[in-house]
Amino acid sequence: MPELPEVEGVVRQIRPVSIGKKIEAVAVSDVIRLSKENGKEAIIKRIEADGFIERLTGAQIVQVERRSKYIYFTLRKDNEFLLVNHLGMSGAWFYVDQLQSIPEDKFRRHVHIVLTLSDGNLLAFSDIRRFGEMRVLQQEGDFPPLLLMAPEPFHEGALEHFLALAESPKYKNKAIKEIIMDGQIVSGCGNIYATEALFKMKMHPKRAASRISRKRKIELFESIVAILQESIEAGGSTISDYRDINGESGSMQNRFGMYGKKQCANCGTQTKTLKIGGRASVYCPTCQK
Ligand SMILES: [Zn+2]
Protein backbone atom coordinates (compact mmCIF):
# COMPACT_ATOMS: atom_id res chain seq x y z
CA MET A 1 0.00 0.00 0.00
CA PRO A 2 1.43 3.39 -0.90
CA GLU A 3 2.56 5.36 2.16
CA LEU A 4 3.82 8.93 2.44
CA PRO A 5 7.00 8.56 0.29
CA GLU A 6 5.17 6.91 -2.59
CA VAL A 7 2.42 9.53 -2.60
CA GLU A 8 5.04 12.29 -2.39
CA GLY A 9 6.81 10.80 -5.40
CA VAL A 10 3.60 10.79 -7.42
CA VAL A 11 2.77 14.38 -6.46
CA ARG A 12 6.25 15.62 -7.38
CA GLN A 13 5.82 14.07 -10.82
CA ILE A 14 2.22 15.14 -11.44
CA ARG A 15 2.92 18.76 -10.48
CA PRO A 16 5.16 19.81 -13.39
CA VAL A 17 3.07 18.06 -16.05
CA SER A 18 -0.31 19.31 -14.86
CA ILE A 19 -0.22 22.69 -13.13
CA GLY A 20 -1.65 25.45 -15.28
CA LYS A 21 -3.29 22.99 -17.63
CA LYS A 22 -6.98 22.61 -18.17
CA ILE A 23 -8.94 19.38 -17.90
CA GLU A 24 -10.55 19.25 -21.35
CA ALA A 25 -12.38 15.97 -20.91
CA VAL A 26 -13.04 13.34 -18.26
CA ALA A 27 -13.83 9.67 -18.77
CA VAL A 28 -15.06 7.22 -16.14
CA SER A 29 -14.91 3.43 -16.63
CA ASP A 30 -18.01 1.27 -17.02
CA VAL A 31 -16.89 -0.67 -13.94
CA ILE A 32 -17.25 2.43 -11.80
CA ARG A 33 -20.54 3.43 -13.42
CA LEU A 34 -21.96 -0.04 -12.80
CA SER A 35 -20.76 -0.09 -9.20
CA LYS A 36 -22.44 3.26 -8.58
CA GLU A 37 -25.66 2.10 -10.22
CA ASN A 38 -25.59 -0.85 -7.83
CA GLY A 39 -25.33 1.48 -4.86
CA LYS A 40 -21.61 0.84 -4.32
CA GLU A 41 -19.06 3.58 -4.19
CA ALA A 42 -16.09 2.28 -6.14
CA ILE A 43 -13.39 5.00 -6.18
CA ILE A 44 -15.63 8.02 -6.84
CA LYS A 45 -17.32 8.93 -3.58
CA ARG A 46 -20.53 10.81 -2.89
CA ILE A 47 -21.14 12.01 -6.44
CA GLU A 48 -22.54 10.35 -9.55
CA ALA A 49 -20.18 9.58 -12.43
CA ASP A 50 -21.81 12.18 -14.66
CA GLY A 51 -21.71 14.78 -11.88
CA PHE A 52 -18.02 14.02 -11.37
CA ILE A 53 -17.34 14.48 -15.08
CA GLU A 54 -19.34 17.71 -15.19
CA ARG A 55 -17.53 19.21 -12.17
CA LEU A 56 -14.04 18.47 -13.49
CA THR A 57 -14.45 19.19 -17.18
CA GLY A 58 -13.13 22.64 -18.05
CA ALA A 59 -11.39 23.11 -14.70
CA GLN A 60 -7.82 24.33 -14.53
CA ILE A 61 -5.30 22.54 -12.32
CA VAL A 62 -3.99 25.24 -10.00
CA GLN A 63 -1.98 23.22 -7.49
CA VAL A 64 -1.11 19.61 -6.65
CA GLU A 65 -0.08 18.85 -3.09
CA ARG A 66 0.33 15.94 -0.75
CA ARG A 67 -1.23 15.83 2.68
CA SER A 68 -0.35 12.65 4.57
CA LYS A 69 -1.25 9.87 2.10
CA TYR A 70 -3.71 12.01 0.13
CA ILE A 71 -3.22 13.93 -3.10
CA TYR A 72 -4.97 17.30 -3.19
CA PHE A 73 -5.62 18.76 -6.62
CA THR A 74 -6.73 22.37 -6.35
CA LEU A 75 -8.94 23.03 -9.37
CA ARG A 76 -10.47 26.28 -10.61
CA LYS A 77 -13.68 26.66 -12.54
CA ASP A 78 -15.54 29.83 -11.56
CA ASN A 79 -14.16 29.26 -8.05
CA GLU A 80 -11.56 26.96 -6.53
CA PHE A 81 -12.38 23.48 -5.27
CA LEU A 82 -10.54 20.27 -4.45
CA LEU A 83 -10.20 16.86 -5.99
CA VAL A 84 -8.84 14.71 -3.17
CA ASN A 85 -7.39 11.33 -4.12
CA HIS A 86 -6.22 8.41 -1.99
CA LEU A 87 -4.32 5.70 -3.86
CA GLY A 88 -5.79 2.96 -1.67
CA MET A 89 -3.98 -0.38 -2.09
CA SER A 90 -2.97 -0.20 -5.72
CA GLY A 91 -3.94 3.17 -7.22
CA ALA A 92 -1.50 4.63 -9.75
CA TRP A 93 -1.47 7.71 -11.96
CA PHE A 94 0.06 7.63 -15.42
CA TYR A 95 0.89 10.60 -17.61
CA VAL A 96 0.77 9.31 -21.18
CA ASP A 97 -0.07 10.38 -24.73
CA GLN A 98 -2.52 7.48 -25.07
CA LEU A 99 -3.75 4.69 -22.80
CA GLN A 100 -1.81 2.11 -24.82
CA SER A 101 1.37 3.81 -23.59
CA ILE A 102 0.73 2.71 -19.99
CA PRO A 103 3.66 0.35 -19.45
CA GLU A 104 2.07 -2.77 -17.97
CA ASP A 105 -1.02 -4.65 -19.02
CA LYS A 106 -2.30 -5.07 -15.44
CA PHE A 107 -2.46 -1.28 -15.10
CA ARG A 108 -3.83 -0.71 -18.61
CA ARG A 109 -6.70 -3.08 -17.92
CA HIS A 110 -7.74 -1.25 -14.75
CA VAL A 111 -7.82 2.39 -15.84
CA HIS A 112 -10.91 3.89 -14.23
CA ILE A 113 -10.59 7.65 -14.64
CA VAL A 114 -8.95 9.52 -17.49
CA LEU A 115 -8.37 13.26 -17.49
CA THR A 116 -7.52 14.67 -20.92
CA LEU A 117 -5.32 17.72 -20.35
CA SER A 118 -5.08 20.79 -22.55
CA ASP A 119 -1.62 19.68 -23.78
CA GLY A 120 -3.30 16.66 -25.37
CA ASN A 121 -1.83 14.18 -22.88
CA LEU A 122 -3.74 12.04 -20.43
CA LEU A 123 -3.60 11.75 -16.67
CA ALA A 124 -4.99 8.27 -16.16
CA PHE A 125 -5.88 6.74 -12.81
CA SER A 126 -5.51 2.97 -12.74
CA ASP A 127 -6.59 0.94 -9.73
CA ILE A 128 -6.33 -2.84 -9.84
CA ARG A 129 -8.03 -3.48 -6.50
CA ARG A 130 -10.32 -0.42 -6.54
CA PHE A 131 -9.67 0.67 -2.95
CA GLY A 132 -8.61 4.09 -4.21
CA GLU A 133 -10.80 7.13 -3.52
CA MET A 134 -11.69 10.33 -5.35
CA ARG A 135 -13.65 13.09 -3.70
CA VAL A 136 -14.77 16.40 -5.11
CA LEU A 137 -14.86 18.84 -2.19
CA GLN A 138 -15.62 22.53 -1.98
CA GLN A 139 -13.17 22.61 0.94
CA GLU A 140 -11.13 20.16 3.01
CA GLY A 141 -13.61 20.18 5.89
CA ASP A 142 -16.34 18.73 3.65
CA PHE A 143 -14.70 15.37 4.35
CA PRO A 144 -14.09 15.68 8.12
CA PRO A 145 -11.53 12.83 8.48
CA LEU A 146 -9.09 15.04 6.56
CA LEU A 147 -9.17 17.55 9.40
CA LEU A 148 -8.16 14.89 11.93
CA MET A 149 -4.86 14.01 10.25
CA ALA A 150 -1.69 14.52 12.28
CA PRO A 151 0.62 17.36 11.17
CA GLU A 152 3.03 16.54 8.35
CA PRO A 153 5.96 14.65 9.93
CA PHE A 154 8.51 17.07 8.45
CA HIS A 155 6.73 20.10 9.87
CA GLU A 156 7.33 21.74 13.19
CA GLY A 157 4.88 20.60 15.81
CA ALA A 158 4.61 17.04 14.50
CA LEU A 159 6.92 15.64 17.19
CA GLU A 160 5.07 17.45 20.00
CA HIS A 161 1.77 16.22 18.57
CA PHE A 162 3.06 12.64 18.56
CA LEU A 163 4.41 12.86 22.12
CA ALA A 164 1.25 14.44 23.49
CA LEU A 165 -0.97 11.71 22.04
CA ALA A 166 1.40 8.81 22.74
CA GLU A 167 1.52 9.88 26.39
CA SER A 168 -2.22 10.55 26.67
CA PRO A 169 -4.49 8.21 28.70
CA LYS A 170 -6.21 7.10 25.50
CA TYR A 171 -3.07 5.75 23.84
CA LYS A 172 -0.33 5.28 26.44
CA ASN A 173 -1.14 1.60 27.00
CA LYS A 174 -1.40 0.77 23.33
CA ALA A 175 1.25 -1.00 21.28
CA ILE A 176 3.77 1.46 19.90
CA LYS A 177 3.35 0.10 16.38
CA GLU A 178 -0.37 0.74 16.45
CA ILE A 179 0.32 4.29 17.64
CA ILE A 180 2.83 5.21 14.95
CA MET A 181 0.58 3.74 12.23
CA ASP A 182 -2.38 5.83 13.38
CA GLY A 183 -2.73 8.72 10.93
CA GLN A 184 -4.14 10.95 13.64
CA ILE A 185 -0.90 10.57 15.61
CA VAL A 186 1.76 10.32 12.87
CA SER A 187 0.96 11.28 9.27
CA GLY A 188 1.78 8.99 6.39
CA CYS A 189 3.52 6.13 8.24
CA GLY A 190 1.95 2.78 7.38
CA ASN A 191 2.96 -0.80 8.01
CA ILE A 192 6.15 -0.74 5.93
CA TYR A 193 7.83 2.29 7.47
CA ALA A 194 6.54 1.54 10.99
CA THR A 195 8.12 -1.93 10.71
CA GLU A 196 11.43 -0.50 9.50
CA ALA A 197 11.59 2.29 12.10
CA LEU A 198 10.91 -0.10 14.99
CA PHE A 199 13.55 -2.48 13.66
CA LYS A 200 16.08 0.32 13.44
CA MET A 201 15.23 1.34 17.02
CA LYS A 202 15.43 -2.31 18.22
CA MET A 203 11.98 -1.77 19.70
CA HIS A 204 9.37 -4.51 20.06
CA PRO A 205 6.27 -3.54 18.05
CA LYS A 206 3.95 -4.52 20.88
CA ARG A 207 5.71 -2.53 23.59
CA ALA A 208 3.26 -0.18 25.30
CA ALA A 209 3.98 3.52 24.75
CA SER A 210 4.07 4.06 28.53
CA ARG A 211 7.01 1.64 28.74
CA ILE A 212 9.14 3.69 26.35
CA SER A 213 11.05 6.68 27.71
CA ARG A 214 10.44 10.12 26.27
CA LYS A 215 13.98 10.15 24.93
CA ARG A 216 13.38 6.88 23.06
CA LYS A 217 10.05 8.13 21.76
CA ILE A 218 11.77 11.19 20.33
CA GLU A 219 14.42 8.99 18.73
CA LEU A 220 11.72 6.76 17.27
CA PHE A 221 9.92 9.72 15.75
CA GLU A 222 13.19 11.01 14.29
CA SER A 223 13.87 7.57 12.91
CA ILE A 224 10.44 7.50 11.19
CA VAL A 225 11.10 10.91 9.64
CA ALA A 226 14.55 9.80 8.45
CA ILE A 227 13.17 6.63 6.86
CA LEU A 228 10.35 8.50 5.13
CA GLN A 229 12.89 10.99 3.79
CA GLU A 230 15.27 8.26 2.65
CA SER A 231 12.42 6.50 0.89
CA ILE A 232 11.30 9.67 -0.93
CA GLU A 233 14.84 9.95 -2.25
CA ALA A 234 14.82 6.27 -3.29
CA GLY A 235 11.60 6.74 -5.28
CA GLY A 236 9.46 4.97 -2.66
CA SER A 237 8.96 1.26 -2.12
CA THR A 238 7.46 -1.11 -4.64
CA ILE A 239 6.11 -4.20 -2.91
CA SER A 240 3.73 -5.17 -5.67
CA ASP A 241 1.74 -2.46 -7.39
CA TYR A 242 3.32 0.89 -6.65
CA ARG A 243 4.55 2.67 -9.80
CA ASP A 244 5.39 6.30 -10.45
CA ILE A 245 3.60 8.22 -13.21
CA ASN A 246 6.07 6.90 -15.79
CA GLY A 247 5.49 3.30 -14.70
CA GLU A 248 8.81 3.03 -12.82
CA SER A 249 9.12 1.08 -9.58
CA GLY A 250 10.68 2.50 -6.42
CA SER A 251 13.89 1.05 -4.94
CA MET A 252 13.45 1.55 -1.19
CA GLN A 253 12.34 -2.08 -0.79
CA ASN A 254 15.95 -3.10 -1.51
CA ARG A 255 17.05 -1.31 1.65
CA PHE A 256 14.58 -2.92 4.04
CA GLY A 257 16.04 -4.61 7.09
CA MET A 258 12.83 -6.21 8.34
CA TYR A 259 9.67 -5.66 6.26
CA GLY A 260 8.89 -8.85 4.35
CA LYS A 261 12.02 -10.58 5.73
CA LYS A 262 12.24 -14.15 6.95
CA GLN A 263 15.58 -13.55 8.66
CA CYS A 264 16.79 -10.57 10.66
CA ALA A 265 19.29 -8.49 8.69
CA ASN A 266 21.21 -7.83 11.96
CA CYS A 267 21.55 -11.22 13.62
CA GLY A 268 20.13 -13.81 11.25
CA THR A 269 17.41 -14.94 13.69
CA GLN A 270 14.19 -16.11 12.07
CA THR A 271 11.71 -13.26 12.19
CA LYS A 272 8.30 -13.53 13.85
CA THR A 273 4.96 -12.11 12.83
CA LEU A 274 2.37 -10.68 15.19
CA LYS A 275 -1.00 -9.19 14.40
CA ILE A 276 -1.14 -5.64 15.74
CA GLY A 277 -4.01 -3.31 14.97
CA GLY A 278 -5.23 -5.76 12.34
CA ARG A 279 -1.92 -5.70 10.45
CA ALA A 280 0.80 -8.30 10.21
CA SER A 281 3.87 -7.08 12.08
CA VAL A 282 7.23 -8.61 11.33
CA TYR A 283 9.96 -8.25 13.96
CA CYS A 284 13.11 -9.90 15.25
CA PRO A 285 12.55 -11.61 18.63
CA THR A 286 16.27 -11.28 19.43
CA CYS A 287 16.95 -7.66 18.47
CA GLN A 288 13.62 -6.01 19.22
CA LYS A 289 12.76 -5.84 22.92
ZN1 LIG B 1 17.88 -9.70 15.00
Side-chain angles (χ1 to χ4, degrees), residues 23 52 54-60 62-63 72-84 135-139:
I23 300 169
F52 179 82
E54 199 267 315
R55 284 288 271 140
L56 265 54
T57 304
Q60 189 187 32
V62 176
Q63 186 54 274
Y72 284 32
F73 294 86
T74 302
L75 305 178
R76 187 191 296 131
K77 192 166 91 170
D78 305 324
N79 50 36
E80 285 190 357
F81 62 102
L82 293 170
L83 172 66
V84 177
R135 287 189 165 79
V136 178
L137 306 175
Q138 206 49 54
Q139 57 210 358

Side-chain angles (χ1 to χ4, degrees), residues 142-153:
D142 292 345
F143 182 52
L146 298 176
L147 299 179
L148 297 175
M149 291 188 289
E152 284 298 305

Side-chain angles (χ1 to χ4, degrees), residues 199 258 264-269 284 286-288:
F199 175 62
M258 181 51 60
C264 172
N266 269 350
C267 72
T269 303
C284 172
T286 305
C287 295
Q288 292 176 257

